[in-house]
Amino acid sequence: MKIPFNQFSFSIIDPNTDISGFECDNPDLNDFLYTDAIHYQEERLAVTRLIHLQNNVVGYFTLVSDSIEVAAIHSDDGNFEYPYRRYPALKIARLATDSHYQKQGIGRAMLLKTMQIAIVLSGYIGVRILTVDSKHDSVEFYEKFGFKRATRKNHETISLYRDFHRTLCDIQDKREESDITKY
């Protein structure tokens, strides 16, 4: 059963946060949370957010700044008048759900929170694209939420992106259309 978004709370990890009960199916993601997340944050290399359900840490995601080559995205994304070689982006560097909470909407909630963060950031700095270097077994998850494959090749991961600005424009257009039909 999917858990409603409003049931979750989010916090930025800190040295006093109890993460001892968290365990996902990927040992590398567990290791990052337990040994690297705090250090990366202290060094201003990444920020890790935890997602809580009641008092349990049920997932986490880590964000970093990024960029993506204009040539790596589809021609219907981006801005054709953009004169530079790379778009500013926000990268989902890690995303993991506790193995006891799989298939309950936690990954979706973390992506929604990431989108909210990207929207806020884009009011302060240039950010148009969300990126992720996905493990092969997670590609379908991201594609379900509108991510597309970038043209960049990598054997260990699949580079994906989402033009969230395009999504915001589409939402705005649909709102305007529904407003027009009211009259």
Side-chain angles (χ1 to χ4, degrees):
M1 182 169 83
K2 302 287 184 209
I3 301 167
F5 185 80
N6 64 1
Q7 297 294 307
F8 298 115
S9 62
F10 296 86
S11 67
I12 294 176
I13 193 171
D14 69 57
N16 299 318
T17 306
D18 180 12
I19 55 173
S20 62
F22 181 86
E23 187 171 338
C24 71
D25 295 336
N26 184 313
D28 291 336
L29 292 172
N30 290 326
D31 185 55
F32 176 82
L33 181 63
Y34 286 108
T35 62
D36 297 327
I38 294 292
H39 175 69
Y40 276 42
Q41 203 155 283
E42 289 170 346
E43 293 295 319
R44 304 288 189 260
L45 298 171
V47 174
T48 297
R49 284 180 173 72
L50 306 172
I51 180 169
H52 307 268
L53 181 61
Q54 296 160 358
N55 292 323
N56 299 315
V57 174
V58 296
Y60 81 90
F61 61 100
T62 302
L63 302 176
V64 299
S65 60
D66 195 18
S67 68
I68 186 170
E69 290 183 21
V70 170
I73 69 171
H74 299 252
S75 61
D76 59 335
D77 289 319
N79 178 333
F80 70 92
E81 296 174 357
Y82 187 67
Y84 303 103
R85 293 184 357 208
R86 301 186 73 79
Y87 283 112
L90 179 65
K91 178 177 278 221
I92 302 167
R94 304 278 191 292
L95 187 142
T97 300
D98 187 289
S99 55
H100 295 98
Y101 294 91
Q102 296 283 330
K103 309 286 186 205
Q104 295 184 45
I106 291 159
R108 177 184 180 276
M110 290 188 286
L111 288 179
L112 285 171
K113 188 65 172 179
T114 299
M115 185 78 76
Q116 289 175 342
I117 291 166
I119 290 166
V120 170
L121 272 177
S122 71
Y124 294 94
I125 61 171
V127 176
R128 181 176 178 123
I129 308 286
L130 295 175
T131 61
V132 63
D133 292 334
S134 174
K135 305 282 188 206
H136 291 270
D137 58 352
S138 299
V139 170
E140 190 175 310
F141 167 78
Y142 289 105
E143 288 179 335
K144 182 170 66 172
F145 293 102
F147 282 79
K148 299 176 184 176
R149 291 175 189 239
T151 58
R152 199 188 91 184
K153 302 290 184 211
N154 185 338
H155 297 293
E156 293 180 30
T157 60
I158 308 285
S159 294
L160 302 168
Y161 76 93
R162 179 172 178 175
D163 183 348
F164 77 88
H165 176 74
R166 176 77 39 143
T167 302
L168 292 175
C169 289
D170 290 346
I171 291 168
Q172 182 64 35
D173 290 347
K174 287 177 184 167
R175 281 189 187 147
E176 289 172 5
E177 286 174 18
S178 68
D179 289 344
I180 289 171
T181 60
K182 291 179 185 178
Y183 301 105

